[in-house]
Amino acid sequence: MTKKDETVNPVSKDNMERLDILIDELKGIFSNIKAHEIMNTSVVVIMPDRTLYQAKELMRLRKISGLPVCDENGMLVGIVSIEDIIKALENNYINDKIERWMTKNVVWISEDEELIDIVEKFSRYGFGRFPVLNTETHRVIGIITKADILSTILNKLKNLYVRDQRMTNVLENTDLHSISLITGEKLDKSGADFYFEINYTDINMAGVGAAKLREFLLSKGFNEELVRRVAIATYEAETNVVIHSESIGKIYCFIRDDFIKVRVEDYGKGIENLELAMQEGFSTAPDYIREFGFGAGMGLVNMKRCSDKIVVVSEVGKGVIVEMLFNIKTGREET
Amino acid sequence: MKLSEIIEKLNLDVVVANELDDVDVVNGYTCDLLSEVMANCKKGTAWITVQSHLNIVAVATICGVSCIILANDHDYPQETIQKAEKEGVVLLKSKLNSYTISGELYKLGIK
């Protein structure tokens, strides 16, 4: 049996250039944002007499990648990051006190520093985070990561209502949301035999939709091996939505005479480089996700392996559509 | 080989049992990456891992594995146990590490 795979990445170079121009224009609007508007104020700090092991646990539980170290008066004395923890684990001093190994010359940001200068600091030092200090008391009042900068900018953008021809997205234009990527037929989603909304963000819940689809298909009398393939591929697509998209997603299943079609859509951040994403072992999953055993870079590979035909369409910032066909009659030989 | 026989021979702790059906174990697979597990586990596989979070139950259900054997004396969180009870997934645990459990299983003829 032959299997054909296609990847489509409809971001043209032209579009990218126009986006660059737009970003330049927007820069002016963002120039007077101050550190205290960007920072995350619920900053987690740790005392220097705690151990690196405790720091590691704190980072794991709070899902953060660095901790400012403060003395009992709230004065900044150092910083520990994931890198420090990794080194400590490698060299077996994870039970040492933080003060021995923390970075003592901390580069910090004062609360009224401007966005442009902050961005400059990120690129100059290459650090993942900067503590924000009150200008007078020198106490830690917040922390800024790249993600904080991004979300500040996005929030500003929301208020701006930018409607620019340059921003119209390819996915909307070609209306891929209402045609089948594989067969090209018009898709009546209300006629789906199965529908599930991925509306949760808790990674622990991942797979609920796939499990429901599995039960549904078994109840329809499909053979176990076929259902297994559908369930695995759907599970992978579903966890991708939960881990990566930062949006809700939808699972549709259409049952036809000779195939089952599963379509998983999300409206999130999209895939930057589809070719790379399709490669076995490639993953952009964050550390805490990997700790759970996800992020092996096998998701799309597994989907491809389990389905008889797969098409993935994505654009950065617009979401991902995965459509998969599973042949009913032929089944598939074990490879 | 029947699961009950394996539990007895490897001296495994039974955290969630399936009393109704003493399933067959046909082979084993040792891995902590969920995608790999899904790609390689078959119906009737004994899955050996150190992962204990909720999602292993979903993976086990989808793959139809016979049982999960948690290695290195790790503990299952309460929510994993509840979900496994609901889904009928057998949860076992052992003080041995993944390598040793795999070896013991292999010696029993589970390949």
Side-chain angles (χ1 to χ4, degrees):
Chain A
M1 231 196 92
T2 54
K3 228 174 74 157
K4 207 175 150 208
D5 309 291
E6 293 157 8
T7 55
V8 186
N9 197 345
V11 184
S12 70
K13 211 176 166 188
D14 194 35
N15 265 350
M16 287 301 287
E17 273 170 22
R18 288 196 286 190
L19 202 59
D20 282 344
I21 297 168
L22 182 66
I23 287 169
D24 269 348
E25 282 170 8
L26 288 172
K27 252 187 201 160
I29 299 165
F30 298 116
S31 59
N32 56 359
I33 302 175
K34 301 257 169 73
H36 63 86
E37 293 175 66
I38 305 168
M39 69 186 186
N40 181 349
T41 51
S42 61
V43 51
V44 186
V45 300
I46 193 160
M47 306 267 273
D49 60 345
R50 300 294 147 85
T51 65
L52 287 164
Y53 179 81
Q54 287 170 315
K56 176 188 78 91
E57 283 302 292
L58 195 54
M59 286 189 222
R60 185 173 66 82
L61 292 171
R62 301 294 294 261
K63 294 173 182 162
I64 50 179
S65 55
L67 285 171
V69 185
C70 292
D71 64 14
E72 56 280 330
N73 302 316
M75 306 297 274
L76 182 69
V77 292
I79 195 160
V80 277
S81 66
I82 285 271
E83 289 87 332
D84 298 321
I85 300 295
I86 292 170
K87 275 186 216 150
L89 286 169
E90 273 178 354
N91 300 310
N92 250 330
Y93 55 78
I94 191 75
N95 290 318
D96 281 12
K97 284 190 175 162
I98 291 170
E99 56 197 351
R100 201 173 150 201
W101 299 101
M102 67 189 182
T103 304
K104 291 184 180 109
N105 288 328
V106 187
V107 185
W108 49 272
I109 290 171
S110 76
E111 59 182 320
D112 44 27
E113 224 162 297
E114 287 195 345
L115 176 64
I116 293 209
D117 301 322
I118 297 167
V119 171
E120 158 76 19
K121 267 191 178 149
F122 272 100
S123 60
R124 179 163 10 126
Y125 295 101
F127 297 153
R129 70 211 62 74
F130 291 98
V132 182
L133 303 199
N134 178 290
T135 330
E136 276 142 37
T137 63
H138 272 225
R139 291 218 168 97
V140 178
I141 53 169
I143 192 154
I144 294 181
T145 63
K146 281 185 184 167
D148 296 321
I149 293 184
L150 199 62
S151 68
T152 309
I153 292 178
L154 287 177
N155 276 328
K156 288 264 168 188
L157 266 178
K158 255 192 226 160
N159 304 333
L160 271 171
Y161 189 67
V162 184
R163 184 68 201 172
D164 190 298
Q165 194 55 39
R166 293 163 246 196
M167 298 291 276
T168 43
N169 76 68
V170 184
L171 291 186
E172 264 169 28
N173 277 348
T174 47
D175 207 13
L176 291 176
H177 280 285
S178 59
I179 57 163
S180 167
L181 300 177
I182 293 177
T183 53
E185 66 182 327
K186 215 163 165 25
L187 210 60
D188 177 15
K189 286 182 194 161
S190 60
D193 296 287
F194 173 91
Y195 169 72
F196 179 84
E197 185 171 296
I198 310 167
N199 59 1
Y200 56 88
T201 53
D202 181 1
I203 185 61
N204 276 320
M205 279 184 66
V208 180
K212 288 219 166 104
L213 177 57
R214 177 177 172 272
E215 268 168 44
F216 169 77
L217 292 175
L218 286 175
S219 77
K220 292 275 169 193
F222 288 106
N223 84 56
E224 252 183 63
E225 185 50 34
L226 173 68
V227 175
R228 198 182 106 92
R229 288 200 284 128
V230 177
I232 291 175
T234 310
Y235 176 93
E236 294 284 9
E238 185 180 358
T239 43
N240 273 356
V241 172
V242 178
I243 295 172
H244 298 290
S245 79
E246 291 162 12
S247 86
I248 63 152
K250 286 168 181 174
I251 301 173
Y252 298 95
C253 178
F254 303 87
I255 298 171
R256 297 289 177 266
D257 288 344
D258 44 2
F259 63 82
I260 293 172
K261 180 158 70 190
V262 175
R263 186 173 161 114
V264 182
E265 303 178 355
D266 70 64
Y267 316 95
K269 65 182 188 190
I271 302 174
E272 212 160 299
N273 186 334
L274 256 178
E275 262 170 67
L276 214 55
M278 296 292 287
Q279 266 174 33
E280 193 161 335
F282 178 82
S283 174
T284 57
D287 284 346
Y288 77 91
I289 291 288
R290 287 175 201 246
E291 238 176 78
F292 285 137
F294 296 101
M298 290 287 294
L300 281 163
V301 179
N302 261 356
M303 287 180 232
K304 207 165 133 180
R305 213 173 266 167
C306 289
S307 59
D308 291 299
K309 183 150 181 150
I310 176 170
V311 171
V312 184
V313 170
S314 177
E315 188 187 346
V316 172
K318 302 296 177 199
V320 180
I321 304 175
V322 178
E323 196 169 300
M324 298 175 283
L325 280 195
F326 304 86
N327 293 337
I328 291 176
K329 281 180 188 149
T330 52
R332 236 174 32 136
E333 306 301 316
E334 277 293 296
T335 45
Chain B
M1 185 178 285
K2 287 289 175 199
L3 183 58
S4 55
E5 199 179 338
I6 289 172
I7 292 171
E8 196 201 314
K9 291 209 166 124
L10 261 65
N11 196 18
L12 301 169
D13 289 338
V14 180
V15 182
V16 175
N18 182 353
E19 275 124 13
L20 299 174
D21 183 18
D22 191 5
V23 288
D24 279 311
V25 175
V26 278
N27 60 4
Y29 192 71
T30 308
C31 188
D32 303 318
L33 293 172
L34 305 187
S35 286
E36 292 281 353
V37 172
M38 281 197 296
N40 293 295
C41 274
K42 300 189 178 75
K43 193 170 156 43
T45 298
W47 171 24
I48 300 149
T49 182
V50 293
Q51 295 287 3
S52 60
H53 60 87
L54 193 53
N55 231 274
I56 58 171
V57 179
V59 170
T61 313
I62 285 170
C63 297
V65 305
S66 296
C67 64
I68 300 173
I69 306 176
L70 188 61
N72 270 8
D73 209 21
H74 284 291
D75 286 313
Y76 293 100
Q78 203 50 44
E79 62 259 37
T80 304
I81 295 173
Q82 282 162 359
K83 183 92 185 287
E85 279 166 351
K86 207 174 123 219
E87 300 285 338
V89 171
V90 178
L91 298 185
L92 308 169
K93 58 173 280 182
S94 169
K95 289 189 172 55
L96 305 173
N97 68 31
S98 301
Y99 175 79
T100 315
I101 299 169
S102 311
E104 292 293 328
L105 268 182
Y106 200 89
K107 269 198 267 172
L108 290 178
I110 305 290
K111 292 179 180 172

